[in-house]
Amino acid sequence: MKKRTAFFISDGTGITAETLGNSLLTQFEGIHFEMITLPYIDTLDKAQNVVEKINSATAQDGELAIVFDTIVNPAIREKVASSQAFKIDVFESFLKPLEHELQLHSSYSVGKSHAINESSRYKERIASVNFALDNDDGGRIQQYGKADLILVGVSRCGKTPTCLYMALQFGIRAANYPITIDDLERSGLPDVLMQHRNKLFGLTIDPFHLAAIRHERRPNSRYASLEQCEFEVREVERRFAQLGIGTINTTHFSVEEIATRIMADAGLTRRIV
């Protein structure tokens, strides 16, 4: 497979360059991209070191390295631009047209989109993450009244990472509750969940995929057996359908896709940007 090296370079965290670059590069199949993020390139000495790394990658690959950068300082940006690479300057590509349309000059400030610019938003993000951690796996059911969302599903179907992602990216207070064998011996869902029926959202998963995940945790156990996984998934799906609870099958989706689809289906609005 053809190989190209892609650099995400910034005088801040590099998150913006990395996010945009990744989104674009994933559209191209048949090429293996070696991705390298270089944050806090905020001096000419660091920029010179970056130029050497880029030129070395170009020489090794026999193809121009691809560079996505969000460098604000013009001298540093010019230094990086001297490298042997195909360069996409994110700020130059987007800020200049916006300045023209808005008839304003950009502040060209480093790290504005990922800095603690607004204390209230930062605190909201941290509070949401702490809530997700405190309410993982049915940890504190007495706090469900404060939850924006309660994810429900069998063990290892993706509840915890989804809750954490929603807290970190959207500021959503998400709790999760694992449906256990004891719960499946009774009809419906536990009373503690039904008290918050409007906040429930179900996660389900392909039984074969679930068995593989569980086998890594408890190999050759009943917990990881395909028969057990099929039973649990079938039962929770039946109960979700009976109660009209929204669901998503997590088997073929990333945590980003799962969280975003839940936000849309549940009609939730992000608290932070």
Side-chain angles (χ1 to χ4, degrees), residues 8 29-30 53 61 63 76 81 94 106 124 139 142-143 149 182 203 211 224 227 236 249 259 269:
F8 311 120
E29 299 178 359
K53 290 181 178 179
D61 293 347
E63 300 275 2
I76 296 174
F94 297 106
S106 165
E124 187 67 50
Q142 69 272 18
Q143 293 189 13
L149 177 77
D182 289 342
L203 267 58
E227 181 182 11
V236 295
N249 189 308
T269 302

Side-chain angles (χ1 to χ4, degrees), residues 114-125:
H114 299 288
I116 308 176
N117 295 317
E118 294 188 30
S119 177
S120 61
R121 289 185 181 179
Y122 182 75
K123 289 179 179 178
E124 187 67 50
R125 186 192 303 273

Side-chain angles (χ1 to χ4, degrees), residues 198-269:
N198 62 322
K199 298 180 180 181
L200 302 183
F201 202 95
L203 267 58
T204 185
I205 189 171
D206 178 80
F208 288 92
H209 189 58
L210 178 62
I213 294 172
R214 289 183 173 184
H215 184 74
E216 293 180 3
R217 189 178 187 187
R218 297 182 194 171
N220 303 316
S221 63
R222 180 188 175 194
Y223 168 79
S225 70
L226 179 58
E227 181 182 11
Q228 183 64 29
C229 292
E230 287 179 331
F231 167 73
E232 292 183 29
V233 171
R234 181 176 65 249
E235 280 299 306
V236 295
E237 288 181 344
R238 182 177 64 81
R239 295 171 198 216
F240 292 158
Q242 285 179 340
L243 295 169
I245 293 172
T247 64
I248 181 172
N249 189 308
T250 64
T251 307
H252 300 296
F253 293 124
S254 67
V255 66
E256 295 90 345
E257 292 173 305
I258 295 167
T260 304
R261 287 171 181 267
I262 291 173
M263 289 285 291
D265 290 350
L268 295 172
T269 302

Side-chain angles (χ1 to χ4, degrees), residues 10-12 39-47 71 73 76 110:
S10 178
D11 40 13
Y40 301 113
I41 306 303
D42 49 11
T43 68
L44 287 173
D45 287 342
K46 290 181 180 179
I71 296 173
N73 185 293
I76 296 174
V110 177

Side-chain angles (χ1 to χ4, degrees), residues 6 8 20-29 33 35 66 68:
F8 311 120
L20 177 62
N22 268 307
S23 296
L24 294 174
L25 295 179
T26 54
Q27 302 303 312
F28 298 91
E29 299 178 359
F33 292 103
M35 301 182 183
I66 301 170
F68 296 87

Side-chain angles (χ1 to χ4, degrees), residues 75-108:
I76 296 174
R77 190 163 66 239
E78 185 177 348
K79 171 62 72 173
V80 172
S82 69
S83 62
Q84 299 171 17
F86 175 77
K87 186 168 177 291
I88 298 176
D89 186 326
V90 177
F91 282 167
E92 189 71 21
S93 299
F94 297 106
L95 281 184
K96 289 297 184 183
L98 273 174
E99 286 180 333
H100 182 267
E101 174 63 26
L102 300 174
Q103 297 184 2
L104 288 172
H105 287 293
S106 165
S107 64
Y108 286 88

